[in-house]
Amino acid sequence: MQSNEAETHSAATLMEQILYEIKRVVVGQDHFLERVMVAMLAEGHLLVEGVPGLAKTLTIKTLAQVISGDFKRIQFTPDLVPADLIGTRIYNQRTGEFSTTLGPVFTHLLLADEINRAPAKVQSALLEVMQERQVTIAGQTHVLARPFLVLATQNPIETEGTYALPEAQVDRFMMKVVIGYPTEEEEFVIAERALAPAVAVLPVASTEQLAALQKAAREVYVDPSLLQYAVRVVAATRNPGVYGLKDLAGAIACGASPRATIALAQGAQALALMRGRNYVLLDDVKELAHDVLRHRITLSYEALADAQTPDRLIDQILVRIPAPARAPDVAAREERRA
């Protein structure tokens, strides 16, 4: 038990070092930074919505430097084709042979900038990459590097000429994070740092260490009562009436899939590890609920007309779904830890 706690403490310390190094460059955006790390530890992908200039590109680029990984950025445009993402076969006239050129998805951290500006055919090309972590070109399968994280951005303004993401692809994203403008104090520090010489980011971890952290996250204990609570929260988005939420039934056209339950549990494991625990608490599950569910709930026309939002519905679900009693195993672990 002591060795397990020591490993958890070591993992949390390394995560603190990674976040500290990133924050030497990125000002504020603590919620966004934490969710990036949760997605990385849980081997998920992140959909980020925010106006330009909020350090989305800077964050993932800095993270790649800190973990000694590769980073690539794709600017999604209407004229993009799937081969621009995954690669293609090129014919060499001199040798009379075909050679395979791999695309930018073969990296550790991939930034898909303004993903909704590319047509559905290009967006769907990411499906196999994100889910299977492999690419098939001319019948030959190429496995991607590990770890692999897709951070896709959406611009909430200038929606003319954009293509709505297919529901199948939206569901592939573990979380959707909405980020806003910095505070006045944070913006002052941002401007101050922009006028000073650039900070040299130090690599404090390796991709091998990150893989070990991912393995440690999967070993974090999730009490069955907490897992059952996550199931009820997700199921309530599909059948509100069954869980005493009949007034919400008319507001939800389509609820979250079981993939949301998995994302909620795995994300809670990662969040617990980041906070130095080898067990999940109820607060971990609740804290991630909005980010995991908001992009998986489709509102009805009536709800849209009433200016309802998925976040408001999630608030009501979390308040009205009964929380489980304190798990005995978790209580014992907390007492031993104290």
Side-chain angles (χ1 to χ4, degrees):
M1 179 69 182
Q2 291 180 347
S3 63
N4 192 10
E5 289 184 350
E7 290 175 5
T8 302
H9 177 73
S10 177
T13 301
L14 181 56
M15 295 302 299
E16 286 180 7
Q17 293 173 347
I18 293 173
L19 282 172
Y20 173 79
E21 197 64 27
I22 295 174
K23 288 181 180 180
R24 291 179 62 222
V25 177
V26 180
V27 180
Q29 302 294 4
D30 292 342
H31 177 81
F32 172 49
L33 291 176
E34 188 177 61
R35 294 302 182 264
V36 170
M37 297 310 304
V38 167
M40 178 67 78
L41 288 178
E43 300 184 66
H45 305 289
L46 206 60
L47 181 62
V48 182
E49 186 174 290
V51 297
L54 298 181
K56 300 183 288 292
T57 303
L58 180 63
T59 296
I60 192 168
K61 184 178 180 180
T62 305
L63 174 60
Q65 294 174 325
V66 172
I67 66 170
S68 307
D70 296 327
F71 161 74
K72 290 181 182 176
R73 175 180 180 273
I74 306 172
Q75 183 64 50
F76 278 64
T77 56
D79 60 346
L80 209 65
V81 296
D84 294 329
L85 298 181
I86 64 175
T88 187
R89 298 269 287 173
I90 299 176
Y91 178 71
N92 189 324
Q93 291 184 341
R94 291 185 178 180
T95 62
E97 297 178 349
F98 283 92
S99 61
T100 301
T101 301
L102 300 179
V105 296
F106 287 88
T107 185
H108 293 114
L109 300 177
L110 176 67
L111 176 65
D113 206 6
E114 295 192 275
I115 188 174
N116 56 331
R117 294 203 177 276
K121 193 172 184 179
V122 177
Q123 294 171 1
S124 63
L126 279 177
L127 289 177
E128 183 184 15
V129 176
M130 293 170 60
Q131 185 67 22
E132 305 298 334
R133 287 175 165 77
Q134 64 183 29
V135 167
T136 302
I137 303 174
Q140 186 176 359
T141 299
H142 303 270
V143 180
L144 273 67
R146 294 293 184 101
F148 175 67
L149 168 72
V150 174
L151 190 151
T153 68
Q154 283 191 147
N155 189 343
I157 59 176
E158 297 179 357
T159 55
E160 256 185 66
T162 60
Y163 302 83
L165 292 178
E167 290 183 10
Q169 185 168 340
V170 169
D171 200 35
R172 293 292 196 279
F173 289 99
M174 180 181 184
M175 293 180 286
K176 178 183 178 180
V177 179
V178 179
I179 58 177
Y181 288 112
T183 64
E184 185 176 319
E185 293 77 11
E186 290 170 345
E187 193 161 352
F188 175 82
V189 177
I190 292 170
E192 195 175 41
R193 289 188 182 180
L195 299 177
V199 176
V201 179
L202 301 176
V204 299
S206 64
T207 53
E208 290 76 16
Q209 287 176 299
L210 192 57
L213 288 175
Q214 291 175 335
K215 182 180 178 182
R218 289 296 179 94
E219 295 173 356
V220 171
Y221 176 75
V222 183
D223 191 85
S225 64
L226 294 179
L227 192 58
Q228 186 62 50
Y229 175 75
V231 170
R232 290 197 184 102
V233 168
V234 175
T237 67
R238 299 191 293 261
N239 300 297
V242 175
Y243 296 90
L245 303 170
K246 291 183 179 179
D247 54 314
L248 301 184
I252 301 175
C254 184
S257 73
R259 193 178 274 129
T261 306
I262 298 171
L264 202 52
Q266 292 179 345
Q269 286 180 312
L271 193 60
L273 183 66
M274 289 181 64
R275 295 176 177 175
R277 285 183 273 104
N278 57 3
Y279 54 89
V280 171
L281 296 179
L282 176 63
D283 288 344
D284 298 326
V285 178
K286 285 188 171 183
E287 192 171 328
L288 291 172
H290 289 80
D291 296 319
V292 169
L293 295 174
R294 65 164 56 97
H295 59 299
R296 292 182 162 100
I297 295 177
T298 304
L299 299 179
S300 66
Y301 291 114
E302 292 81 0
L304 292 172
D306 292 338
Q308 188 66 271
T309 65
D311 283 342
R312 291 180 186 173
L313 297 178
I314 296 167
D315 284 336
Q316 295 184 56
I317 290 172
L318 292 177
V319 168
R320 296 162 65 180
I321 293 294
R326 193 160 180 248
D329 288 350
V330 172
R333 287 163 188 258
E334 287 182 316
E335 289 172 4
R336 284 196 292 270
R337 186 177 178 81

